[in-house]
Amino acid sequence: MSSSNAGQSAGQLETRGIEPVPEAECNGHPLQLFWVWFAANISILGLPLGATLVAFRGLAIWQAIIVAILGAAGSFAVVGIISIAGRRGRAPSLTLSRAIFGVRGNIGPTLVSLMSRLGWETVNTTTAAFVLLSLCSILFGSPVEAKSAPVLTLVFIAIFVLLTLSVSGLGHATLLVIQKWATYVFGALNILVGGFLCATIDWSAVFNATPAPLSAMIIGIGTMAAGTGIGWANAGADMSRYQHRSVKAVRLVASAAFGAGIPLVLLITLGGLLSVGNNDLASATDPIIAIRDMLPTWMAVPYLITAFGGLLLSNNLSVYSAGLTTLTLGLKVKRVYAVVVDIVAIFAGSIYFMLIADSFYGPFITFISLLAVPITAWVGIFVVDLIHRHYYSPKDLLDVSPSSAYWYNGGIEWRAFGAWALAIVLGFSFTTIGTTEQNVWFRGFLSDSWLGHNGLGWIVTFLVAGGIYFVLGGARDRRAAMTENAHA
């Protein structure tokens, strides 16, 4: 996985894995990260998020805008905070997490992170294949369904994963260039499609809408945060590890908050506008088709191309991050092979859900949302630790033997791991898990409380995880030793 020449030019293979980046190669700047996060969130699937705020929460459009800013842009500020650790430690997020949880204790958060990444990548891949099938339906003049055209479905899945592999496999430098220039193309298409969607808005209903109570806005903020930035938090340091040492922390936070926040706020607002007096988008089982049906037939083709491009840009970053997470689990292969392993997994998953399973979105997205609880607990502990930790030992991050400074007690830092586990248990106590109100898989004993009923258990998870870890003093106890090592 190591190389003296990591190939940091666009179009060349990045050969570095999870080992910390040498200072001589750290020449990145925050604008690069701005484009990375912008591209990853330009998907038109942001529209249904806004639709739920208006249709189900009853927010007026000005309230939906405030909720989008605080929930989406605010949660990506957390991603920016995690990015600070990448600039300090020069390694991916879950590799740096070894310093907090121990080289063995970190396996739990790493597995959860990898499952989440693979889950969302399967959602992206499956949705993109449905987009291409929808394009064929328009071109052929008759519906083309996955199970009635299995060969075509396989081809479309392969196209999407190969396009993803071509960018994610090459690595960091290529990703920076592709995400930036593709943003211009698909951003312009989004503006074009958005303009036509605006023609369907009932503007009189928009201006006459009655505001919802403050409690509905609070719930909406939690929903937006859980559906946007929280899911990306564990990828923050993956991209920032190449940033120059002189880059200020506030600029890293701003690059994520504004980079992701601008497209998300615009798309969430448009989704809210489309749903004033019309619940079709918010309740659609297939939002791609629901949005397509709002457009003139001739406009559906550029819309579907836009949707495909947005999904691809999001998948590029997710698969790159998943490859690094796979290596953190201890897989002894080169980074590009770890990416291939992830690609094979999502290819197989997409085939199953498109050609074999009877349903996909409900059960699968419920499963992915379930993983938000342990991820949020990890974020709470990581952020508290970051406040006190200013140094990560490069040698010990890669040493998974008892000689590592991050071996702690049997390979586990029990204060961090214990806080994580306890927060997960409490978080699930507030959580109801199921595809519908009738099909409930699990119901926590506090799920009928105000917090649980309104889906805010993840906030409890965040506060409990970070709070317990802070009280136990794990981060503070390590600060002096790590600072001394930095100057040794």
Side-chain angles (χ1 to χ4, degrees):
M1 291 183 292
S2 301
S3 176
S4 59
N5 181 0
Q8 287 310 295
S9 297
Q12 295 181 342
L13 180 66
E14 179 190 17
T15 57
R16 176 169 292 105
I18 61 173
E19 60 270 24
V21 182
E23 284 292 331
E25 296 181 28
C26 297
N27 299 309
H29 53 83
L31 187 58
Q32 294 172 326
L33 299 182
F34 172 90
W35 289 116
V36 165
W37 295 119
F38 197 108
N41 291 279
I42 203 171
S43 171
I44 208 161
L45 290 179
L47 295 176
L49 286 175
T52 60
L53 293 177
V54 172
F56 297 153
R57 298 300 177 192
L59 301 185
I61 198 61
W62 64 268
Q63 292 177 308
I65 294 172
I66 293 174
V67 165
I69 293 172
L70 296 179
S75 64
F76 265 96
V78 176
V79 178
I81 292 173
I82 303 294
S83 298
I84 298 170
R87 188 207 59 191
R88 288 179 183 173
R90 302 302 183 196
S93 303
L94 270 300
T95 305
L96 296 174
S97 183
R98 286 175 173 174
I100 305 170
F101 290 87
V103 295
R104 286 182 173 174
N106 191 52
I107 293 174
T110 304
L111 278 172
V112 169
S113 178
L114 182 60
M115 287 191 292
S116 178
R117 291 265 67 85
L118 292 176
W120 284 116
E121 289 154 17
T122 303
V123 170
N124 288 341
T125 304
T126 303
T127 306
F130 278 126
V131 167
L132 294 180
L133 288 171
S134 187
L135 267 173
C136 285
S137 298
I138 295 173
L139 297 176
F140 297 153
S142 60
V144 178
E145 298 183 355
K147 292 183 179 180
S148 63
V151 175
L152 192 60
T153 300
L154 288 173
V155 169
F156 287 158
I157 293 174
I159 288 173
F160 187 78
V161 298
L162 288 174
L163 287 173
T164 300
L165 179 60
S166 66
V167 176
S168 302
L170 286 174
H172 183 269
T174 301
L175 191 66
L176 293 179
V177 173
I178 294 296
Q179 299 293 92
K180 175 182 177 179
W181 293 105
T183 298
Y184 291 142
V185 175
F186 292 108
L189 285 172
N190 265 287
I191 293 172
L192 178 64
V193 172
F196 276 89
L197 287 172
C198 285
T200 68
I201 295 171
D202 184 348
W203 290 103
S204 61
V206 170
F207 293 122
N208 293 324
T210 302
L214 178 61
S215 60
M217 293 183 67
I218 295 173
I219 295 166
I221 292 170
T223 302
M224 291 302 102
T228 56
I230 294 301
W232 281 109
N234 48 25
D238 298 357
M239 297 306 301
S240 65
R241 60 201 175 115
Y242 284 94
Q243 291 288 294
H244 194 274
R245 179 67 62 184
S246 64
V247 173
K248 296 184 182 299
V250 67
R251 297 187 67 191
L252 292 175
V253 175
S255 66
F258 286 97
I262 290 173
L264 281 173
V265 169
L266 291 175
L267 289 167
I268 290 170
T269 300
L270 180 56
L273 288 169
L274 293 171
S275 295
V276 175
N278 183 354
N279 294 353
D280 291 347
L281 178 57
S283 58
T285 55
D286 187 343
I288 291 287
I289 300 300
I291 299 168
R292 188 194 71 182
D293 291 343
M294 297 178 184
L295 295 165
T297 302
W298 63 269
M299 191 63 197
V301 172
Y303 156 68
L304 291 171
I305 293 173
T306 303
F308 182 86
L311 291 164
L312 183 60
L313 293 177
S314 177
N315 223 46
N316 288 341
L317 181 57
S318 185
V319 170
Y320 176 77
S321 177
L324 297 172
T325 304
T326 301
L327 292 177
T328 302
L329 282 175
L331 191 64
K332 301 298 183 181
V333 297
K334 293 182 178 180
R335 184 199 61 81
V336 67
Y337 296 145
V339 170
V340 172
V341 169
D342 295 324
I343 286 289
V344 170
I346 63 176
F347 187 88
S350 299
I351 290 174
Y352 174 79
F353 287 111
M354 294 192 74
L355 299 180
I356 300 174
D358 294 327
S359 62
F360 168 60
Y361 285 105
F364 207 70
I365 292 179
T366 297
F367 170 70
I368 296 170
S369 300
L370 176 66
L371 298 178
V373 173
I375 290 174
T376 304
W378 175 86
V379 171
I381 294 168
F382 196 99
V383 169
V384 169
D385 186 84
L386 183 64
I387 295 172
H388 298 278
R389 186 186 300 274
H390 296 277
Y391 175 76
Y392 298 86
S393 169
K395 175 181 70 70
D396 294 304
L397 285 175
L398 300 180
D399 184 359
V400 295
S401 73
S403 63
S404 173
Y406 303 134
W407 182 256
Y408 301 121
N409 187 358
I412 302 174
E413 214 297 356
W414 287 102
R415 287 173 292 190
F417 190 84
W420 184 66
L422 184 59
I424 291 172
V425 172
L426 188 58
F428 281 136
S429 299
F430 286 93
T431 303
T432 299
I433 304 166
T435 56
T436 64
E437 292 184 1
Q438 294 73 35
N439 184 23
V440 175
W441 300 352
F442 168 82
R443 190 185 302 276
F445 73 95
L446 295 174
S447 60
D448 290 330
S449 64
W450 185 87
L451 289 170
H453 181 72
N454 294 296
L456 297 179
W458 69 274
I459 294 180
V460 176
T461 305
F462 179 87
L463 295 176
V464 168
I468 292 176
Y469 183 60
F470 176 80
V471 170
L472 293 177
R476 295 191 300 276
D477 287 354
R478 302 297 171 189
R479 181 179 183 180
M482 291 296 101
T483 302
E484 289 175 5
N485 287 342
H487 297 288

